[in-house]
Amino acid sequence: MTMKDSILKCLKELDLDCKICEHEPVLDFETAALVDERFHLTGVESKSLFIKTKSEKYYIYLTVQGEKLDSKYMKKLLGEKVSVVGPDELTNLTTCVPGCVAPFGFDKELNVRIIVDKKIFNYEKFIFSPAVPEMTVEAKTEDLPKMLEQYYDEILYKELDEEE
């Protein structure tokens, strides 16, 4: 089963109120904005960064468009330096296209963990890629924990008031 299929199956099994749109490939926020307008998507664009620690532990940092990875904060949170996984390693490990990293759906053997920026909960809906550039999902932010609990044993949260 592909990662996309795993994500779509999860959404169906949870019976969540999601909008799923198929379209031309989206690999940047400018094209995403055009797709959002065409399909009347009102959620915030999410950003899933696939990062790894010095000791090769993998994490998804789920945040919103415009936010950057704070390496100092992540080092403090995780106890070691982190870096964004490069495009080749990303594709080899996850089958995700760079720019289309999903917030969940990874093969259990990878043991990917997640860090969620609580800023995402400032929005009623969020938009994410199910690991492919030709599809977009808009979901209610209140349903995010239900989705993540299907794939992660623990969810770390970046608090709103923590220093950037």
Side-chain angles (χ1 to χ4, degrees), residues 65-76:
Q65 176 181 347
E67 292 298 311
K68 296 194 179 347
L69 177 68
D70 182 343
S71 297
K72 287 180 185 173
Y73 173 81
M74 290 298 164
K75 182 178 180 185
K76 184 177 153 190

Side-chain angles (χ1 to χ4, degrees), residues 2 22 25 29 34 46 61 69 83 85 90 97 107 123 145 164:
T2 66
E22 293 188 57
F29 286 120
L34 295 172
S46 67
Y61 175 49
L69 177 68
S83 60
V85 173
L90 170 72
V97 174
D107 187 320
Y123 302 89
E164 288 292 322

Side-chain angles (χ1 to χ4, degrees), residues 39-135:
F39 289 100
H40 308 287
L41 303 177
T42 58
V44 65
E45 287 286 346
S46 67
K47 179 161 84 172
S48 296
L49 293 174
F50 195 67
I51 59 177
K52 70 178 176 180
T53 62
K54 200 118 172 107
S55 64
E56 302 282 318
K57 291 179 185 160
Y58 294 101
Y59 290 85
I60 285 294
Y61 175 49
L62 177 62
T63 187
V64 295
Q65 176 181 347
E67 292 298 311
K68 296 194 179 347
L69 177 68
D70 182 343
S71 297
K72 287 180 185 173
Y73 173 81
M74 290 298 164
K75 182 178 180 185
K76 184 177 153 190
L77 179 68
L78 303 174
E80 55 185 319
K81 281 187 176 181
V82 300
S83 60
V84 176
V85 173
D88 292 338
E89 184 179 5
L90 170 72
T91 303
N92 290 338
L93 286 171
T94 70
T95 71
C96 289
V97 174
C100 299
V101 176
F104 57 90
F106 299 94
D107 187 320
K108 287 277 188 197
E109 290 179 22
L110 268 180
N111 197 25
V112 175
R113 298 161 180 94
I114 189 158
I115 303 160
V116 178
D117 185 343
K118 282 196 170 179
K119 286 180 185 158
I120 201 164
F121 293 105
N122 289 339
Y123 302 89
E124 185 181 332
K125 297 177 183 173
F126 73 105
I127 298 168
F128 69 95
S129 167
V132 295
E134 304 83 16
M135 187 176 280

